[in-house]
Amino acid sequence: MKMIQAITLALLLGTAAAAHAEQPLQRTDLVSGDIDVPGHEAVQVRVDFAPGVLAPRHAHPGEEIAYVLGSVLEYKLDGRKPVILEAGQSLFIPSGVVHSARNVGDGKASELATYIVRKDEALVAPAN
């Protein structure tokens, strides 16, 4: 009986891990904490993009600094020309500016997003 339970658990964990690994856009919250600016916090997130995947148009309640960890990402900020960043490059996105990001590289792309945002507001606000 214990062998059947162990096999069932292994299958469930394997399926969950495979489903998690196959997500086209995966966000991993890394750290957040209060800063000296009243009503604001710093938040750091890793975002992984499968090849060709788009993070649709959205905005944040504060500033974002996007640092590309791997592959190539194209960022489109409203009112600006698109910019393509490779691993090791970064971009400042002002508060409230609607933007999108797409993996235009060959493999998985990753970014480290650091936000200085107003507390108690949704970190991501979808846009049209």
Side-chain angles (χ1 to χ4, degrees):
M1 187 66 155
K2 287 185 180 185
M3 180 60 89
I4 293 172
Q5 289 174 333
I7 291 171
T8 302
L9 179 60
L11 287 173
L12 287 173
L13 290 175
T15 302
H20 184 69
E22 293 173 10
Q23 292 180 355
L25 186 67
Q26 182 179 343
R27 183 175 159 227
T28 304
D29 295 337
L30 300 174
V31 67
S32 66
D34 292 343
I35 60 173
D36 288 343
V37 178
H40 289 73
E41 65 181 337
V43 178
Q44 197 165 60
V45 175
R46 179 186 174 118
V47 184
D48 296 300
F49 300 73
V53 168
L54 170 73
R57 291 170 38 84
H58 62 281
H60 306 284
E63 290 78 14
E64 174 184 1
I65 299 168
Y67 177 80
V68 179
L69 296 167
S71 196
V72 183
L73 291 169
E74 177 185 53
Y75 294 87
K76 292 183 179 179
L77 283 66
D78 280 4
R80 298 185 187 181
K81 292 181 180 180
V83 61
I84 294 178
L85 300 180
E86 297 179 359
Q89 295 180 306
S90 58
L91 175 69
F92 179 82
I93 302 171
S95 179
V97 171
V98 175
H99 60 284
S100 65
R102 179 186 301 275
N103 179 354
V104 294
D106 294 330
K108 180 181 91 170
S110 300
E111 79 169 8
L112 180 64
T114 303
Y115 307 93
I116 304 297
V117 292
R118 291 183 296 280
K119 289 180 69 166
D120 302 323
E121 291 189 31
L123 182 62
V124 178
N128 295 327

